Structure formats: C-alpha cells, structure tokens
Amino acid sequence: MLLEKEREELIVYGKKMITENLTKGTGGNLSIFNREKNLMAITPSGIGYFDITPEDIVIIDVATGKIVDGHRVPSSECDMHRIFYKYRDDIDAVVHTHSTFSTTISCLNINLPPIHYILATAGIDVRCAEYATYGTVRLAKNAFEAMKDRNAALLANHGLITGGKTLKEAFSVALDVEFCSELFCRAKSMGEPVSLSVEEMTSMMERFKTYGKRVEEHEEI
C-alpha cells in the first residue's frame, strides 16, 4: 500500500479534528506530502473521520493532480492542498478546518490580529483570503496568496487552513489559531482588543524556533 504511514497518521489526526472541536461531521480535510515520491495522501470526501480506513485515503500525484491510488473521491479541496506542495518547500502537511471561532472571524472577512503571542506559530497575524467557491482553483489561489509568509490563513465565509513541516505541526497551528480566534471574539464583545506589535511578534516567531529545546544562555535576573 502506497504511503501506509501517512494514511495511518491522517486517520489519527482526522479523529483529533472532531475531538478537539476543529470541525463537525465530515467538514474539513487533511493531507500529507511525501516529497521524495512527489505524492500526497489526502482524506476522502464525505466520509466521517471515525469511519475512514487506510484504504479510503486517496494518493495523488502533486505535479499532475491525478489519482495514483484509491477508490474514493478525494477531498473537494484537493487543489488547495496541492498548491502549497507545488510552490512552498517549507510545507509538507496541510490542515483545513471549519472551527467555530476561526470561521466566525472569516465571516467578517477580516484578518485575525496578533492579540496573543501564541499566534506567532502562524505568523505575525492571520490574513483572511478573498472569498471563492469551495473546491475551486480560485479558492486554492486565494488561500495561497493569503498564506504567503504565514503558516495559516482564514478562508472568507468558510474556515481555516494551516500548514507545517509535519501534520502534528500543522494541526498545532490550527489549535493555536482557533484559541486566538476565540480570545478575539470574546475580547471584542467586551471592548477593543489590544494587538501586540510587529516587533514583538517577530521576536516571538524567533523564540518559537527553539521552543522546547535546550538554551545555554540565560539572561541575568
């Protein structure tokens, strides 16, 4: 079976999409890119995440978009995943969610500002891509444009897309953006949220590169 490891990982994180409240029903999709083989594994269309089997995962040639292996219909957002694998060498996994608060902000067609430092896992802020019908090449191009120099983008009146070197990383970014989106919605109901500066967010992005790793130098307290 082609990309057996990738298939299993997609099943694990598909279930996490539901348990972590990042989507409902069969909404959203996930994929992993095997750069060596130039193939991507993507979740199928219209099957519940707890019902997907390894055989249901669809394998697609990134260069041509043709199905290499699989008897299911691939996610309708196949092109939105493929465009990142074709044109960005820093993304090998993509997560697309319909998470409540991120989607709420997307329905306002506004960017998510940097109201919390944790948003730096996505970038300085999260832009909102222009609206386009789901499953279209136009949506793929809009998402790609909005996510330049970022690891996440809101999709107007639709949802959220994130990317990373691994599926774990892309999924973590989706959780971070949803957390910050909820903060923004709650803060907005009480007043005007205060955004962090570009300088601070840039600093946070650098700090996150060594997060969880041993740091030898310490500042005097």
Side-chain angles (χ1 to χ4, degrees):
M1 185 185 294
L2 280 172
L3 307 190
E4 188 170 351
K5 180 183 175 183
E6 288 86 345
R7 292 173 192 253
E8 295 289 351
E9 194 172 2
L10 287 173
I11 289 172
V12 169
Y13 278 90
K15 292 175 181 177
K16 281 178 175 283
M17 288 244 289
I18 297 293
T19 58
E20 295 286 353
N21 294 315
L22 289 182
T23 196
K24 305 287 185 185
T26 61
N29 30 75
L30 311 93
S31 70
I32 301 174
F33 180 40
N34 185 308
R35 201 166 285 276
E36 264 185 38
K37 296 183 170 80
N38 203 39
L39 298 174
M40 79 172 182
I42 191 167
T43 49
S45 178
I47 302 179
Y49 290 104
F50 280 86
D51 298 323
I52 295 174
T53 67
E55 292 77 17
D56 293 323
I57 301 298
V58 185
I59 309 301
I60 292 174
D61 185 297
V62 167
T64 64
K66 292 182 178 179
I67 295 175
V68 173
D69 187 27
H71 62 285
R72 298 293 187 183
V73 175
S75 166
S76 58
E77 302 298 0
C78 181
D79 284 332
M80 188 168 67
H81 291 247
R82 195 162 65 92
I83 195 171
F84 287 98
Y85 301 145
K86 284 189 73 172
Y87 301 114
R88 282 188 57 168
D89 58 13
D90 61 328
I91 290 180
D92 288 339
V94 169
V95 172
H96 167 44
T97 78
H98 293 169
S99 43
T100 302
F101 291 96
S102 299
T103 304
T104 297
I105 297 171
S106 84
C107 290
L108 297 172
N109 286 204
I110 61 174
N111 298 343
L112 173 61
I115 65 167
H116 193 286
Y117 71 87
I118 204 170
L119 194 66
T121 61
I124 291 173
D125 60 5
V126 179
R127 303 186 191 100
C128 185
E130 290 184 19
Y131 179 79
T133 303
Y134 85 91
T136 61
V137 171
R138 174 48 55 194
L139 177 60
K141 289 181 177 179
N142 289 355
F144 185 83
E145 183 65 28
M147 214 163 109
K148 281 184 176 177
D149 304 315
R150 304 285 192 275
N151 294 323
L154 299 174
L155 306 174
N157 304 90
H158 185 157
L160 168 70
I161 185 169
T162 64
K165 285 302 291 182
T166 64
L167 190 55
K168 180 180 180 180
E169 183 180 309
F171 191 85
S172 180
V173 173
L175 287 174
D176 290 344
V177 174
E178 178 64 4
F179 169 69
C180 292
S181 294
E182 181 173 0
L183 289 182
F184 180 77
C185 291
R186 291 179 180 275
K188 196 76 171 170
S189 72
M190 300 173 68
E192 193 57 39
V194 176
S195 294
L196 297 174
S197 67
V198 171
E199 291 75 20
E200 177 65 10
M201 291 301 287
T202 301
S203 172
M204 289 300 101
M205 289 165 67
E206 286 300 313
R207 288 174 70 93
F208 280 153
K209 289 179 181 179
T210 56
Y211 183 75
K213 299 177 183 177
R214 185 172 180 177
V215 179
E216 299 296 338
E217 295 183 6
H218 298 276
E219 186 177 346
E220 187 63 36
I221 58 173

